[in-house]
Amino acid sequence: MIYSSEAIVLESRDYGEADLIVTYLTKEFGILNLFAKSPRKIKSRFGSSLEPLTYSKISFIGREDKLQKIIQSDILYPFQKIRENYKIFFKLAEIIRFLLQYSSKREKNSELFNLMLSILREIEDSNKWENYTLFLKIRVLSLLGYLPDMKHCGACGKSLNGQSHYLKGFILCSSCFLKNNQEYKDNKEEGKYIMPERVINFLNSFLKWQLSHLERVKINEKLIDEVEVFIKKHISLTVKL
Ligand SMILES: [Zn+2]
């Protein structure tokens, strides 16, 4: 049986002397590892279509429980400009690593595919790429279910108003934090910090933004740093690394 799908290359790694294993985010089949025969032998259009971030139409064969083989790959858009910009590529690589580590293989996720493709298209022609990579990161976390509830207290379920606190993967209202914090008071500071209210407010509204809005706004750098600190802390506490 021949399968085909639109796909974005997430990663490719050497296999043997001339072959490659290419990891794709496909529109129809989710994340897939596919085998590419001899693309490294000669410089070819087939070879260039396997570069990271390339958006292609691919066909592949083989049993689903085995490593399937790419038989055709036609570039729809190369995203070469992004690949050649070290800073953007580095940011995207971090998000892709997360995606590869924490999302299941062979699970169709059209929302994720469309998100990735639209963000790449926007970044290609924008000088606000930092807005887009931040948006992609937060949306990926949210789509994979890794963001905590930021509207309601993780313990009592009440709406979060005023100061909120982050404790062991959850966002708590002040009174629940005080109660739960007793249990941790002998522990070191690890896993808790005061969640700046503006980070919560920002994330709640950020997740609802249209892509066109990202082109128009300048996000305060200090706020971006605070969001990054929160994400880093949250991931390190809730996800087994
Ligand atoms: Zn509470």
Side-chain angles (χ1 to χ4, degrees), residues 210-221:
Q210 301 286 321
L211 287 188
S212 54
H213 193 54
L214 293 167
E215 195 58 43
R216 295 196 296 268
V217 290
K218 166 126 185 68
I219 307 171
N220 179 294
E221 277 174 29

Side-chain angles (χ1 to χ4, degrees), residues 3 9 11 39 111 113 118 120 126 134 137 147 153 161 165 178-179 187 203 210-211 216 219 221-222:
Y3 305 85
V9 178
E11 186 185 72
E111 208 178 342
F113 180 84
S118 358
L120 291 177
S126 168
L134 183 68
K137 191 173 185 175
L147 273 192
C153 167
N161 295 311
H165 305 257
L178 288 175
K179 244 185 276 164
N187 293 355
L203 287 176
Q210 301 286 321
L211 287 188
R216 295 196 296 268
I219 307 171
E221 277 174 29
K222 192 161 174 273

Side-chain angles (χ1 to χ4, degrees), residues 11-220:
E11 186 185 72
S12 57
R13 47 186 199 281
D14 295 353
Y15 187 78
E17 287 207 346
D19 307 330
L20 282 178
I21 303 279
V22 185
T23 307
Y24 285 103
L25 173 61
T26 69
K27 189 174 185 176
E28 305 301 329
F29 309 96
I31 295 177
L32 285 183
N33 285 329
L34 296 175
F35 174 73
K37 182 83 188 150
S38 310
R40 289 155 57 210
K41 270 191 183 155
I42 37 164
K43 267 222 168 292
S44 63
R45 199 151 169 80
F46 178 59
S48 351
S49 76
L50 309 174
E51 295 270 352
L53 302 182
T54 306
Y55 168 45
S56 320
K57 179 82 195 275
I58 57 166
S59 300
F60 53 98
I61 49 167
R63 277 172 47 183
E64 271 186 44
D65 57 344
K66 296 258 161 64
L67 187 61
Q68 294 168 300
K69 183 183 166 192
I70 307 167
I71 51 169
Q72 193 168 354
S73 161
D74 298 312
I75 299 178
L76 297 172
Y77 198 86
F79 291 119
Q80 192 176 352
K81 242 160 87 183
I82 301 183
R83 201 169 40 247
E84 286 169 356
N85 184 317
Y86 173 75
K87 280 188 183 167
I88 306 180
F89 193 71
F90 186 78
K91 274 273 175 198
L92 288 171
E94 185 196 328
I95 301 169
I96 287 172
R97 267 203 309 279
F98 185 85
L99 198 59
L100 292 179
Q101 215 165 349
Y102 302 110
S103 50
S104 339
K105 298 265 183 327
R106 294 195 165 272
E107 210 169 82
K108 181 173 174 172
N109 189 336
S110 310
E111 208 178 342
L112 181 62
F113 180 84
N114 293 334
L115 171 75
M116 181 67 90
L117 184 59
S118 358
I119 295 277
L120 291 177
R121 280 189 168 132
E122 296 295 335
I123 290 179
E124 180 88 357
D125 290 313
S126 168
N127 46 23
K128 293 265 177 81
W129 63 268
E130 278 141 319
N131 285 1
Y132 292 102
T133 51
L134 183 68
F135 187 78
L136 181 65
K137 191 173 185 175
I138 307 283
R139 289 284 291 141
V140 163
L141 284 172
S142 161
L143 281 175
L144 298 184
Y146 281 107
L147 273 192
D149 188 341
M150 285 176 292
K151 287 204 166 73
H152 306 94
C153 167
C156 70
K158 284 185 194 150
S159 285
L160 289 167
N161 295 311
Q163 201 168 42
S164 312
H165 305 257
Y166 181 89
L167 187 67
K168 307 261 170 186
F170 294 94
I171 297 172
L172 304 180
C173 69
S174 288
S175 63
C176 289
F177 176 74
L178 288 175
K179 244 185 276 164
N180 286 280
N181 197 30
Q182 290 298 315
E183 298 171 24
Y184 296 111
K185 72 174 181 190
D186 296 329
N187 293 355
K188 287 179 188 151
E189 286 298 298
E190 188 198 345
K192 62 189 178 198
Y193 86 117
I194 295 189
M195 177 92 179
E197 203 183 335
R198 60 192 205 128
V199 172
I200 297 182
N201 292 340
F202 170 73
L203 287 176
N204 276 326
S205 86
F206 193 50
L207 283 164
K208 288 187 254 157
W209 285 8
Q210 301 286 321
L211 287 188
S212 54
H213 193 54
L214 293 167
E215 195 58 43
R216 295 196 296 268
V217 290
K218 166 126 185 68
I219 307 171
N220 179 294

